[in-house]
């Protein structure tokens, strides 16, 4: 398998639920990212990991908790989300930080 | 002023037509520029980098105007498959910042 794979593709969760998004890249890249894309808005950078170390937390609420166990896997743990958190969550990777992004297909999250 | 600003469109053009649109950016010291393409409900994919002297890739031509702080994308001989949202991406939008910043996108619809 190649590229960047995200699961699940779609997720509906209640505000009291806990869920996790998974991202896996098979490109040998060293940097991974979480982005949020809301309708009609630019992609918002959430987190950056470089060589498994978090180098950026873009003022993201604590109800979003990232985890990067190795340079190929990235998780986004979700708990007590709000309806305004409904969006497309995109994972991306690159060989070096912010160079040549490859995006996953995204997880379309709906919070009810 | 938004960091990266695009006309959201939509630009509705017939097949075979030429369509062009711009993107403005706020920091004159920004380093690198890209156009990404995003199909409906899909992830963004790199279309082309934008070089200082301008560059072409088939029917697509990108230009950079540093003095006026904008980049442009021109699509010649439009195809139905060109229908998508085109994202303007700028690297180094903030001083000493290597991150990529995305515009909200320009939607192009090519009709038969």
């Amino acid at each position: 398998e190649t590229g960047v794979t995200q699961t699940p593709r779609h997720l509906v969760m209640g505000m009291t639920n806990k869920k996790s998004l998974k991202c896996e890249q098979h490109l040998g890249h060293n940097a991974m990212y979480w982005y949020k894309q809301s309708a009609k808005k630019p992609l918002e950078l959430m987190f950056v990991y470089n060589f498994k170390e978090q180098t950026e937390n873009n003022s993201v609420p604590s109800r979003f908790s990232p985890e990067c166990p190795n340079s190929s896997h990235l998780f986004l743990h979700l708990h007590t989300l709000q309806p305004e958190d409904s969006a497309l969550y995109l994972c991306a990777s690159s060989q070096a930080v912010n160079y040549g992004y490859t995006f996953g297909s995204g997880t379309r999250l709906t919070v009810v | 002023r938004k960091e990266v600003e695009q006309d959201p469109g939509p630009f509705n053009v017939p097949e075979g037509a030429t369509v062009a649109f711009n993107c403005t950016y706020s920091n004159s010291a920004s380093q690198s520029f890209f156009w990404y393409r995003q199909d409906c409900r899909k992830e963004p994919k790199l279309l082309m980098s934008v070089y200082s002297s301008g560059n072409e890739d088939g029917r697509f031509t990108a230009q950079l105007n540093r003095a006026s702080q904008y980049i442009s994308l021109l699509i010649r001989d439009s195809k139905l498959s060109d229908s998508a949202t085109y994202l303007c991406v700028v690297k180094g939008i903030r001083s000493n910042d290597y991150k990529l910043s995305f515009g909200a996108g320009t939607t192009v619809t090519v009709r038969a």
Side-chain angles (χ1 to χ4, degrees), chain A:
Chain A
E1 193 172 355
T2 59
V4 180
T5 304
Q6 286 187 246
T7 55
R9 293 293 302 275
H10 301 273
L11 178 62
V12 179
M13 59 186 288
M15 288 189 283
T16 58
N17 291 158
K18 288 185 179 181
K19 296 287 184 183
S20 296
L21 310 185
K22 179 182 176 183
C23 176
E24 184 174 0
Q25 58 99 358
H26 306 272
L27 301 167
H29 288 168
N30 298 312
M32 296 186 77
Y33 317 83
W34 280 117
Y35 274 87
K36 174 183 178 182
Q37 188 176 33
S38 303
K40 305 298 183 185
K41 291 185 177 179
L43 272 74
E44 299 171 48
L45 178 63
M46 301 175 73
F47 302 104
V48 180
Y49 277 82
N50 194 27
F51 291 96
K52 303 187 300 178
E53 299 297 321
Q54 186 182 127
T55 58
E56 182 103 13
N57 176 339
N58 207 25
S59 302
V60 180
S62 60
R63 57 186 184 270
F64 295 91
S65 174
E67 179 190 359
C68 188
N70 55 62
S71 56
S72 298
H73 293 84
L74 186 63
F75 295 90
L76 188 62
H77 304 299
L78 316 171
H79 65 97
T80 59
L81 295 191
Q82 304 298 311
E84 60 265 28
D85 296 324
S86 299
L88 179 67
Y89 288 85
L90 290 161
C91 173
S93 71
S94 64
Q95 180 59 43
V97 177
N98 294 308
Y99 176 80
Y101 280 21
T102 300
F103 282 91
S105 300
T107 295
R108 190 160 295 280
L109 173 67
T110 304
V111 181
V112 296

Side-chain angles (χ1 to χ4, degrees), chain B:
Chain B
R1 181 181 179 184
K2 292 182 182 176
E3 294 177 343
V4 181
E5 194 154 7
Q6 296 183 246
D7 181 345
F11 287 75
N12 295 307
V13 299
E15 266 188 297
T18 296
V19 59
F21 40 89
N22 295 339
C23 160
T24 59
Y25 58 95
S26 60
N27 183 4
S28 60
S30 296
Q31 302 163 18
S32 306
F33 309 88
F34 310 89
W35 283 105
Y36 275 69
R37 171 195 170 125
Q38 187 171 22
D39 293 299
C40 186
R41 307 187 77 81
K42 296 283 185 68
E43 73 275 21
K45 292 184 179 178
L46 178 64
L47 178 66
M48 59 194 301
S49 300
V50 185
Y51 302 122
S52 297
S53 55
N55 50 297
E56 277 189 18
D57 184 358
R59 297 179 294 106
F60 297 84
T61 301
Q63 296 280 355
L64 168 63
N65 186 318
R66 285 194 180 274
S68 301
Q69 293 178 216
Y70 74 85
I71 65 172
S72 63
L73 182 66
L74 182 145
I75 307 174
R76 288 188 306 278
D77 188 24
S78 300
K79 310 293 184 190
L80 294 176
S81 57
D82 294 334
S83 296
T85 297
Y86 292 85
L87 306 178
C88 172
V89 183
V90 178
K91 180 178 179 180
I93 199 71
R94 304 183 195 90
S95 297
N96 300 317
D97 188 345
Y98 50 76
K99 293 194 295 297
L100 299 185
S101 296
F102 288 77
T106 297
T107 299
V108 173
T109 303
V110 182
R111 62 182 188 275

